mmCIF file of all heavy atoms in Angstrom:
data_model
loop_
_atom_site.group_PDB
_atom_site.id
_atom_site.type_symbol
_atom_site.label_atom_id
_atom_site.label_comp_id
_atom_site.label_asym_id
_atom_site.label_seq_id
_atom_site.Cartn_x
_atom_site.Cartn_y
_atom_site.Cartn_z
ATOM 1 N N PRO A 711 56.506 -38.649 20.648
ATOM 2 C CA PRO A 711 57.230 -37.520 19.935
ATOM 3 C C PRO A 711 58.004 -36.722 20.934
ATOM 4 O O PRO A 711 57.841 -36.722 22.169
ATOM 5 C CB PRO A 711 55.989 -36.721 19.360
ATOM 6 C CG PRO A 711 54.896 -37.039 20.264
ATOM 7 C CD PRO A 711 55.088 -38.493 20.687
ATOM 8 N N ASP A 712 58.982 -35.932 20.418
ATOM 9 C CA ASP A 712 59.848 -35.119 21.225
ATOM 10 C C ASP A 712 59.107 -34.201 22.198
ATOM 11 O O ASP A 712 59.529 -33.910 23.298
ATOM 12 C CB ASP A 712 60.847 -34.313 20.365
ATOM 13 C CG ASP A 712 61.866 -35.230 19.700
ATOM 14 O OD1 ASP A 712 62.055 -36.354 20.189
ATOM 15 O OD2 ASP A 712 62.472 -34.759 18.721
ATOM 16 N N HIS A 713 57.965 -33.626 21.719
ATOM 17 C CA HIS A 713 57.243 -32.650 22.555
ATOM 18 C C HIS A 713 56.416 -33.316 23.604
ATOM 19 O O HIS A 713 55.833 -32.657 24.511
ATOM 20 C CB HIS A 713 56.366 -31.771 21.672
ATOM 21 C CG HIS A 713 55.216 -32.478 21.021
ATOM 22 N ND1 HIS A 713 55.374 -33.260 19.941
ATOM 23 C CD2 HIS A 713 53.927 -32.570 21.399
ATOM 24 C CE1 HIS A 713 54.202 -33.761 19.598
ATOM 25 N NE2 HIS A 713 53.298 -33.364 20.460
ATOM 26 N N ASP A 714 56.280 -34.654 23.601
ATOM 27 C CA ASP A 714 55.377 -35.350 24.533
ATOM 28 C C ASP A 714 55.971 -36.723 24.828
ATOM 29 O O ASP A 714 55.310 -37.721 24.691
ATOM 30 C CB ASP A 714 53.977 -35.426 23.933
ATOM 31 C CG ASP A 714 52.929 -35.889 24.977
ATOM 32 O OD1 ASP A 714 53.263 -35.707 26.212
ATOM 33 O OD2 ASP A 714 51.918 -36.400 24.586
ATOM 34 N N ARG A 715 57.214 -36.777 25.229
ATOM 35 C CA ARG A 715 57.900 -38.031 25.541
ATOM 36 C C ARG A 715 57.345 -38.720 26.807
ATOM 37 O O ARG A 715 56.913 -38.026 27.723
ATOM 38 C CB ARG A 715 59.378 -37.829 25.749
ATOM 39 C CG ARG A 715 60.131 -37.205 24.585
ATOM 40 C CD ARG A 715 60.195 -38.169 23.379
ATOM 41 N NE ARG A 715 61.211 -39.186 23.568
ATOM 42 C CZ ARG A 715 61.387 -40.148 22.660
ATOM 43 N NH1 ARG A 715 60.640 -40.212 21.555
ATOM 44 N NH2 ARG A 715 62.315 -41.040 22.866
ATOM 45 N N VAL A 716 57.291 -39.999 26.789
ATOM 46 C CA VAL A 716 56.941 -40.806 27.926
ATOM 47 C C VAL A 716 58.164 -41.609 28.355
ATOM 48 O O VAL A 716 58.727 -42.314 27.551
ATOM 49 C CB VAL A 716 55.740 -41.737 27.634
ATOM 50 C CG1 VAL A 716 55.414 -42.616 28.847
ATOM 51 C CG2 VAL A 716 54.552 -40.950 27.226
ATOM 52 N N PHE A 717 58.563 -41.457 29.604
ATOM 53 C CA PHE A 717 59.736 -42.116 30.127
ATOM 54 C C PHE A 717 59.316 -43.252 31.108
ATOM 55 O O PHE A 717 58.458 -43.041 31.882
ATOM 56 C CB PHE A 717 60.700 -41.175 30.819
ATOM 57 C CG PHE A 717 61.230 -40.092 29.908
ATOM 58 C CD1 PHE A 717 60.585 -38.906 29.732
ATOM 59 C CD2 PHE A 717 62.442 -40.315 29.253
ATOM 60 C CE1 PHE A 717 61.100 -37.937 28.902
ATOM 61 C CE2 PHE A 717 62.970 -39.333 28.361
ATOM 62 C CZ PHE A 717 62.249 -38.136 28.267
ATOM 63 N N VAL A 718 59.950 -44.429 30.936
ATOM 64 C CA VAL A 718 59.703 -45.594 31.753
ATOM 65 C C VAL A 718 61.015 -46.015 32.362
ATOM 66 O O VAL A 718 61.909 -46.387 31.652
ATOM 67 C CB VAL A 718 59.032 -46.723 31.003
ATOM 68 C CG1 VAL A 718 58.836 -47.923 31.900
ATOM 69 C CG2 VAL A 718 57.735 -46.303 30.386
ATOM 70 N N ALA A 719 61.096 -45.892 33.708
ATOM 71 C CA ALA A 719 62.327 -46.276 34.394
ATOM 72 C C ALA A 719 62.115 -47.610 35.096
ATOM 73 O O ALA A 719 61.011 -47.919 35.640
ATOM 74 C CB ALA A 719 62.654 -45.238 35.430
ATOM 75 N N THR A 720 63.134 -48.432 35.088
ATOM 76 C CA THR A 720 63.150 -49.704 35.886
ATOM 77 C C THR A 720 64.261 -49.634 36.824
ATOM 78 O O THR A 720 65.408 -49.291 36.471
ATOM 79 C CB THR A 720 63.319 -50.900 34.913
ATOM 80 O OG1 THR A 720 62.267 -50.915 33.984
ATOM 81 C CG2 THR A 720 63.352 -52.237 35.675
ATOM 82 N N VAL A 721 63.985 -49.936 38.129
ATOM 83 C CA VAL A 721 65.060 -49.942 39.132
ATOM 84 C C VAL A 721 65.156 -51.346 39.698
ATOM 85 O O VAL A 721 64.149 -52.007 39.971
ATOM 86 C CB VAL A 721 64.805 -48.892 40.240
ATOM 87 C CG1 VAL A 721 63.466 -49.185 40.966
ATOM 88 C CG2 VAL A 721 65.965 -48.851 41.226
ATOM 89 N N THR A 722 66.382 -51.785 39.889
ATOM 90 C CA THR A 722 66.626 -53.131 40.416
ATOM 91 C C THR A 722 67.557 -52.942 41.643
ATOM 92 O O THR A 722 68.552 -52.259 41.575
ATOM 93 C CB THR A 722 67.306 -54.055 39.385
ATOM 94 O OG1 THR A 722 66.465 -54.151 38.238
ATOM 95 C CG2 THR A 722 67.573 -55.440 39.951
ATOM 96 N N VAL A 723 67.182 -53.634 42.740
ATOM 97 C CA VAL A 723 67.971 -53.679 43.945
ATOM 98 C C VAL A 723 68.446 -55.121 44.146
ATOM 99 O O VAL A 723 67.723 -55.898 44.738
ATOM 100 C CB VAL A 723 67.209 -53.140 45.177
ATOM 101 C CG1 VAL A 723 68.108 -53.153 46.386
ATOM 102 C CG2 VAL A 723 66.679 -51.749 44.907
ATOM 103 N N GLY A 724 69.630 -55.460 43.609
ATOM 104 C CA GLY A 724 70.098 -56.802 43.694
ATOM 105 C C GLY A 724 69.089 -57.774 43.241
ATOM 106 O O GLY A 724 68.480 -57.604 42.163
ATOM 107 N N GLU A 725 68.844 -58.809 44.058
ATOM 108 C CA GLU A 725 67.793 -59.770 43.741
ATOM 109 C C GLU A 725 66.545 -59.566 44.574
ATOM 110 O O GLU A 725 65.650 -60.389 44.605
ATOM 111 C CB GLU A 725 68.340 -61.191 43.943
ATOM 112 C CG GLU A 725 69.490 -61.545 43.020
ATOM 113 C CD GLU A 725 69.984 -62.977 43.239
ATOM 114 O OE1 GLU A 725 69.470 -63.616 44.106
ATOM 115 O OE2 GLU A 725 70.815 -63.418 42.445
ATOM 116 N N LEU A 726 66.525 -58.450 45.326
ATOM 117 C CA LEU A 726 65.442 -58.220 46.252
ATOM 118 C C LEU A 726 64.171 -57.683 45.603
ATOM 119 O O LEU A 726 63.077 -58.154 45.904
ATOM 120 C CB LEU A 726 65.872 -57.185 47.323
ATOM 121 C CG LEU A 726 66.912 -57.669 48.379
ATOM 122 C CD1 LEU A 726 67.206 -56.541 49.332
ATOM 123 C CD2 LEU A 726 66.332 -58.880 49.101
ATOM 124 N N VAL A 727 64.326 -56.722 44.686
ATOM 125 C CA VAL A 727 63.149 -56.117 44.138
ATOM 126 C C VAL A 727 63.472 -55.462 42.769
ATOM 127 O O VAL A 727 64.570 -54.939 42.583
ATOM 128 C CB VAL A 727 62.556 -55.064 45.157
ATOM 129 C CG1 VAL A 727 63.544 -53.913 45.291
ATOM 130 C CG2 VAL A 727 61.222 -54.531 44.641
ATOM 131 N N THR A 728 62.482 -55.523 41.876
ATOM 132 C CA THR A 728 62.550 -54.763 40.633
ATOM 133 C C THR A 728 61.231 -54.011 40.497
ATOM 134 O O THR A 728 60.128 -54.621 40.686
ATOM 135 C CB THR A 728 62.732 -55.703 39.423
ATOM 136 O OG1 THR A 728 63.967 -56.381 39.567
ATOM 137 C CG2 THR A 728 62.703 -54.953 38.123
ATOM 138 N N ALA A 729 61.272 -52.729 40.162
ATOM 139 C CA ALA A 729 60.051 -51.927 40.110
ATOM 140 C C ALA A 729 60.130 -51.036 38.913
ATOM 141 O O ALA A 729 61.227 -50.656 38.437
ATOM 142 C CB ALA A 729 59.868 -51.150 41.374
ATOM 143 N N VAL A 730 58.986 -50.655 38.400
ATOM 144 C CA VAL A 730 58.863 -49.787 37.192
ATOM 145 C C VAL A 730 58.134 -48.553 37.545
ATOM 146 O O VAL A 730 57.137 -48.600 38.299
ATOM 147 C CB VAL A 730 58.180 -50.587 36.081
ATOM 148 C CG1 VAL A 730 57.961 -49.656 34.826
ATOM 149 C CG2 VAL A 730 58.976 -51.861 35.670
ATOM 150 N N GLY A 731 58.545 -47.400 36.951
ATOM 151 C CA GLY A 731 57.830 -46.169 37.098
ATOM 152 C C GLY A 731 57.793 -45.425 35.842
ATOM 153 O O GLY A 731 58.639 -45.556 34.933
ATOM 154 N N GLN A 732 56.736 -44.616 35.630
ATOM 155 C CA GLN A 732 56.511 -43.890 34.395
ATOM 156 C C GLN A 732 56.312 -42.401 34.689
ATOM 157 O O GLN A 732 55.722 -42.029 35.727
ATOM 158 C CB GLN A 732 55.332 -44.449 33.699
ATOM 159 C CG GLN A 732 55.020 -43.802 32.315
ATOM 160 C CD GLN A 732 53.925 -44.539 31.593
ATOM 161 O OE1 GLN A 732 54.121 -45.693 31.231
ATOM 162 N NE2 GLN A 732 52.794 -43.890 31.360
ATOM 163 N N GLY A 733 56.811 -41.524 33.800
ATOM 164 C CA GLY A 733 56.626 -40.133 33.981
ATOM 165 C C GLY A 733 56.879 -39.311 32.732
ATOM 166 O O GLY A 733 57.308 -39.880 31.728
#
Side-chain angles (χ1 to χ4, degrees):
D712 290 341
H713 69 279
D714 193 21
R715 302 290 284 176
V716 177
F717 296 90
V718 178
T720 301
V721 61
T722 302
V723 181
E725 297 182 355
L726 288 179
V727 64
T728 297
V730 177
Q732 182 171 296

